[in-house]
Amino acid sequence: MQLHRAVLLLSTFFVFVRSSPLVLDNDNEQVPIVVPNLPDGPVYEDGELPPLRDTDGWIDPRLNGGRFLDFTTKRLGEPLNIIISALSDPYILEEDGFRDYANSIGFAGECLGLHYGNLHDADLGDGLGRKPEHLLIRQHYFPIFGTCWESVRGGHHFRAWRQNGTIANSGAWFIGASKEKDSSKNHKIDDDGYNIGRDYFVEKAIAGSRWQGKWWKADVEWHTGLMPRGRRGVNHGIAIDGRVAVLTVKRL
């Protein structure tokens, strides 16, 4: 009985030693322990990928601590879902030219030049930290008072920031586009309104447009992974698909 137990213990020890990653093989070399690769940086969730490098006409804000959500409240933001690349017509990279371009695709400044709602901040990773929107542009339903009607009836609008700081002076416009409900709903964003607002802007841009004798047409390149998909951190709890449209707008 004792001999049988001794044989069983010896066999168990032999099996254990042979299965150990530290065992010496027949050539007297140690078999290495395989350890899974661990990420060096932050763990990205919901489809977000590490910052992009060597982009043309714009710089990924995340390289310098920025992000693709603006700051609507202390903890929530709205997606910066369109970029007008600095490879675009130089005229529209300046504020007056950009306003003309916005007019050409059916947008204009706010009703009677008056601002409604809170100012949003954004950090474009350009060295200027969180800065307020340069422009808020609304859908222009008809001449003169068309944007006043948008303020009442609801519709498409967007905020825009220029990436023009000392450490990332690309000159690109970063845009947060969305579609909102009417004033009786306190201008709350429509269901799926962030994706809808972005797609509306892009559709107008790639179709081609004109304003006061100037003609433009845009090419689009879609990017995923610049921001997370879903509702995490998004104002109003409205899910986004995480896609960003990079537009290069050419003068015809």
Side-chain angles (χ1 to χ4, degrees), residues 173-249:
W173 287 103
F174 283 69
I175 293 170
S178 59
K179 184 174 185 290
E180 64 183 4
K181 298 180 179 180
D182 61 47
S183 57
S184 69
K185 306 293 192 306
N186 295 318
H187 294 141
K188 183 178 179 181
I189 303 299
D190 270 3
D191 299 335
D192 200 30
Y194 298 120
N195 297 333
I196 292 172
R198 175 203 60 207
D199 292 348
Y200 178 85
F201 188 109
V202 171
E203 180 183 348
K204 294 287 187 179
I206 64 177
S209 59
R210 65 184 177 90
W211 181 257
Q212 295 182 346
K214 301 179 182 68
W215 296 73
W216 294 280
K217 187 174 175 58
D219 296 321
V220 62
E221 181 180 85
W222 292 96
H223 283 268
T224 57
L226 298 176
M227 58 184 162
R229 299 186 299 266
R231 296 177 173 82
R232 180 168 60 91
V234 180
N235 197 32
H236 302 298
I238 296 171
I240 57 176
D241 62 15
R243 298 200 306 161
V244 176
V246 178
L247 294 171
T248 303
V249 184

Side-chain angles (χ1 to χ4, degrees), residues 10 20 49 62 104 112 129 153 166 180 183 225 251:
L10 184 61
S20 170
L49 299 174
R62 299 174 301 158
S104 79
L112 303 177
R153 179 66 178 82
T166 56
E180 64 183 4
S183 57
R251 177 89 69 93

